[in-house]
Amino acid sequence: MPTILALDQGTTSSRALLIGADGRVLDSAQEEFPQRYPRDGWVEHDPEAIWDSQVRTARAVLERAEETPAALGITNQRETVVVWDRKTGAPIAPAIVWQDRRTALECRRLREAGHDALIAERTGLLIDPYFSATKLAWLLDHTEGARARAEAGELAAGTIDSFLLWRLTGGAVHATDATNACRTSLFGLDAQDWDDELLDLFRVPRALLPDVRDCASDFGTTTREALGVGLPVGGIAGDQQAALIGQACLAPGMIKSTYGTGCFVVLNTGGSPVRSGHRLLTTVAYRLGGKPTFAVEGSIFVAGAAVQWLRDGLGVLDHAAETEALAAQAKADSRVVMVPAFTGLGAPHWDAEARGAIFGLTRDTGPAELARAALDAVAHQTDDLVAAMRADGGVIESLRIDGGMVANDWFCQDLSDVTGLPTERPVMTETTAMGAAMLAGVQAGLFASLDEAASLWRAEKRFEPKIAAHARKARRARWQDAVRRTLVS
Ligand SMILES: Nc1ncnc2c1ncn2[C@@H]1O[C@H](COP(=O)(O)OP(=O)(O)O)[C@@H](O)[C@H]1O
Ligand SMILES: O=P(O)(O)OC[C@H](O)CO
């Protein structure tokens, strides 16, 4: 059976998965890599650590594989930017991660100068440090000589997919796909290309940027130096769009919600961009044969990251999975509410300056109540997004869920209770990798179309809401009050 190698470069780990043409995961490898928090609100990655972990996982899977995969697909944490030297391939600075807030003041300046409308109209995005453009400008302004070198064409930049692709092809291909490009604030949704006016506004030289291609395209071939084998790279998509594809949400109205470091709820809206009146983003879901399909997205910066903070920051857990038993043990009358605004709040609040808070602490609050509050916060934030989508006219009847957190049954049930929606967990929870594999498989001719590949999707478990309407209302009110008390701007 033909196979596809999918590289899933996430915020906390790099993964490589060998996926069969029947949609099954045949093998996988995963490596976590260090997160750096050098200052309040800053989040950085070492691009070499990303590269090394990604290559090691890919090579591990390839060495165990019986046959050479037919194609390779890449999916990645989005918005995070790397700038590197075109001659040596060496990064000139650490990668600035999507969660990083260092450009909050610059974003405020752009908002005060009245650029919101132009940016929203062209890109479907708001002005926020989340997106790549201000991060790129920051790197050029704060790295000695970088701006002049960028203008002279000596440097290349891109999101993580671009950086990996460059390295995988030995510097032969500097490209990205439309789903990653549309998260930079530099890409016109209508034109489906970099926008000169936005490049001027954000002061990013065009010479720095990759070529933008369809999600299923010829992205070149890996070198033997990189992976020990020449594989055609046929698919690229940002991880949330890849998860939408991997969850088989290919028809307008279908919706998925992914719980990794952050949480991203994405609603397929079909062939024309739909603008939100409630501060959700308009984004490219995928682009095939030059034709974009669009989505509306709600982005939450902290989901599994709150669990990670309990583990690594507070040290009250050894493993993320312990939150499941802990949450179940929490005292039923606990009113602890955690607003995990560690790096500001994303949709629908977009408050870059808010910081986290915990309300309702009592002398008997312990790790169990904190664990429950952390999981609960993710469910409430999801419901905030569902409410915004409904206010925009969206009809939402259930959620297809995935990501690291959905291994936690307590969380899945809580999500269903808090949102009042049935939630469906698929058999194949590696939906992000699956999306990348589907795209690469279409390009390699293993699937006649994305729809054919999507027919492989199966539900593993469905969680139904179990709490009474009045209990849900009371919990929602407590959450909304806590958020109000956390907002800064
Ligand atoms: N059983 C679990 N319960 C709660 N959270 C979990 C569980 N397993 C993993 N996580 C959280 O999920 C995140 C990892 O999910 P993943 O989809 O791999 O994220 P990413 O792609 O952002 O690196 C981590 O933040 C981790 O804390
Ligand atoms: O690494 P994840 O799975 O949390 O996804 C990160 C997103 O792509 C950021 O927009």
Side-chain angles (χ1 to χ4, degrees):
M1 181 181 50
T3 59
I4 301 153
L5 181 67
L7 306 185
D8 178 2
Q9 206 304 299
T11 311
T12 57
S13 73
S14 300
R15 275 191 283 249
L17 293 93
L18 188 69
I19 298 180
D22 60 357
R24 281 186 311 130
V25 178
L26 305 173
D27 192 11
S28 67
Q30 175 168 8
E31 247 189 61
E32 281 202 20
F33 58 86
Q35 308 289 310
R36 294 188 190 158
Y37 311 108
R39 290 197 205 176
D40 172 25
W42 289 32
V43 187
E44 293 180 350
H45 289 160
D46 173 3
E48 296 293 359
I50 288 184
W51 170 250
D52 290 343
S53 56
Q54 192 64 79
V55 166
R56 266 194 302 270
T57 57
R59 280 182 172 261
V61 167
L62 286 170
E63 274 159 25
R64 293 192 292 257
E66 280 163 18
E67 278 174 42
T68 306
L72 184 144
I74 301 174
T75 180
N76 55 289
Q77 53 166 320
R78 307 166 304 167
E79 298 95 13
T80 302
V81 285
V82 186
V83 179
W84 65 94
D85 185 314
R86 283 185 188 272
K87 269 210 191 94
T88 63
I92 64 158
I96 304 185
V97 176
W98 56 276
Q99 292 172 312
D100 191 292
R101 312 271 92 195
R102 78 185 63 181
T103 60
L105 269 181
E106 173 63 5
C107 288
R108 182 191 284 232
R109 192 191 66 73
L110 288 163
R111 264 196 309 275
E112 285 170 359
H115 296 298
D116 305 59
L118 170 81
I119 291 170
E121 188 260 316
R122 294 279 166 85
T123 68
L125 309 176
L126 305 103
I127 300 178
D128 190 87
Y130 176 31
F131 307 106
S132 318
T134 56
K135 298 182 198 291
L136 265 177
W138 193 96
L139 280 175
L140 297 185
D141 290 336
H142 292 83
T143 314
E144 173 106 39
R147 191 163 278 288
R149 294 189 66 207
E151 269 149 20
E154 292 173 25
L155 301 179
T159 39
I160 297 293
D161 56 308
S162 265
F163 174 63
L164 291 178
L165 184 68
W166 174 281
R167 289 267 177 112
L168 287 167
T169 60
V173 184
H174 186 208
T176 187
D177 83 296
T179 67
N180 274 295
C182 77
R183 312 294 297 189
T184 57
S185 308
L186 301 170
F187 184 79
L189 284 183
D190 292 332
Q192 287 290 303
D193 199 2
W194 304 121
D195 182 297
D196 286 323
E197 209 174 329
L198 295 175
L199 293 173
D200 278 353
L201 179 63
F202 286 103
R203 300 179 306 114
V204 174
R206 204 182 177 106
L208 205 54
L209 296 176
D211 181 35
V212 184
R213 302 188 183 164
D214 285 352
C215 302
S217 285
D218 177 0
F219 288 102
T221 305
T222 63
T223 61
R224 283 181 192 281
E225 291 69 36
L227 292 188
V229 63
L231 299 179
V233 185
I236 297 187
D239 57 7
Q240 302 309 320
Q241 289 94 333
L244 186 78
I245 298 168
Q247 286 275 32
C249 293
L250 302 182
M254 294 185 81
I255 184 166
K256 72 88 203 177
S257 190
T258 300
Y259 299 91
T261 304
C263 158
F264 303 87
V265 182
V266 182
L267 169 71
N268 186 323
T269 60
S272 38
V274 172
R275 307 293 175 162
S276 168
H278 297 87
R279 314 189 83 196
L280 301 171
L281 310 174
T282 306
T283 205
V284 177
Y286 39 90
R287 195 175 90 188
L288 298 170
K291 204 174 141 290
T293 295
F294 294 92
V296 165
E297 174 178 314
S299 322
I300 299 170
F301 301 144
V302 173
V307 173
Q308 221 174 20
W309 176 69
L310 293 179
R311 188 192 69 178
D312 303 339
L314 291 192
V316 297
L317 316 167
D318 287 326
H319 301 287
E322 289 165 27
T323 51
E324 182 163 358
L326 276 174
Q329 288 158 19
K331 293 178 191 73
D333 62 353
S334 164
R335 298 200 161 198
V336 178
V337 178
M338 181 190 293
V339 183
F342 301 137
T343 54
L345 283 172
H349 310 289
W350 297 106
D351 187 338
E353 282 148 73
R355 289 295 177 268
I358 301 178
F359 299 93
L361 295 174
T362 53
R363 282 293 295 268
D364 60 354
T365 300
E369 288 69 33
L370 291 179
R372 191 175 86 180
L375 299 182
D376 217 27
V378 181
H380 280 290
Q381 292 188 90
T382 305
D383 200 44
D384 291 346
L385 299 182
V386 169
M389 285 180 173
R390 286 198 171 126
D392 276 341
V395 179
I396 299 165
E397 284 162 357
S398 64
L399 291 177
R400 289 189 174 183
I401 57 171
D402 55 59
M405 282 187 80
V406 307
N408 184 324
D409 277 15
W410 190 93
F411 168 68
C412 297
Q413 183 57 52
D414 192 54
L415 182 61
S416 194
D417 289 342
V418 168
T419 59
L421 291 169
T423 56
E424 285 183 310
R425 187 169 65 191
V427 172
M428 165 60 160
T429 50
E430 296 284 2
T431 55
T432 301
M434 183 62 189
M438 285 161 69
L439 291 167
V442 167
Q443 177 67 15
L446 302 187
F447 306 116
S449 64
L450 267 193
D451 286 305
E452 183 187 293
S455 66
L456 299 167
W457 187 91
R458 299 279 178 278
E460 179 257 334
K461 190 162 175 181
R462 191 176 157 98
F463 297 82
E464 298 286 345
K466 282 191 180 148
I467 61 170
H470 66 87
R472 174 172 178 249
K473 208 168 149 199
R475 288 175 64 184
R476 289 291 295 147
R478 240 185 344 259
W479 164 260
Q480 281 151 355
D481 178 53
V483 170
R484 261 192 303 277
R485 290 154 75 184
T486 310
L487 293 173
V488 174
S489 50

